[in-house]
Amino acid sequence: MPAVLTRGYLEALAAWTAGEGGAPPVPVQIAFGTGGLRTGPDDPAPPDPSREALEAEVLRKPIAGLSRTGERVEVWATLRGEEIGSTGVSECGLMDAQGRLLLYATFRRKELAYGVQVRFRFALGGPNG
């Protein structure tokens, strides 16, 4: 799943690095939405780094795990079919405690049946999946 760091995140990180901000921007939630497509369920739009929110957010989940190995940071949450019903999702993003979108991804529409779980994982500093 292609993902981009948002300009808002990069600006917040630069401000923190320069000593101009408070705490560094840290992901605390993953937001899921339905607005990541262009023309159909198999046609994801390219992720836009200037985005400040998901196109059509339907659910936020707390981060279930965060780990670091060298330069690589992995962040994940699990989405269950009963949480989104028949809506399906086609976009997601990492959100910080202030509700700022840090990373944005689009993908083919994923529909989940009741009882099915999918782990969404972002790997910063490596491939996403």
Side-chain angles (χ1 to χ4, degrees), residues 28-30 61-67 74-78 119-120:
V28 296
Q29 294 179 316
I30 296 182
K61 300 270 312 216
I63 298 294
L66 190 141
S67 66
E74 289 190 11
V75 180
W76 63 89
T78 301
R119 177 183 266 191
F120 282 79

Side-chain angles (χ1 to χ4, degrees), residues 13-38:
L13 190 57
W16 173 76
T17 302
E20 300 169 4
V26 175
V28 296
Q29 294 179 316
I30 296 182
F32 297 94
T34 60
L37 302 173
R38 285 189 282 207

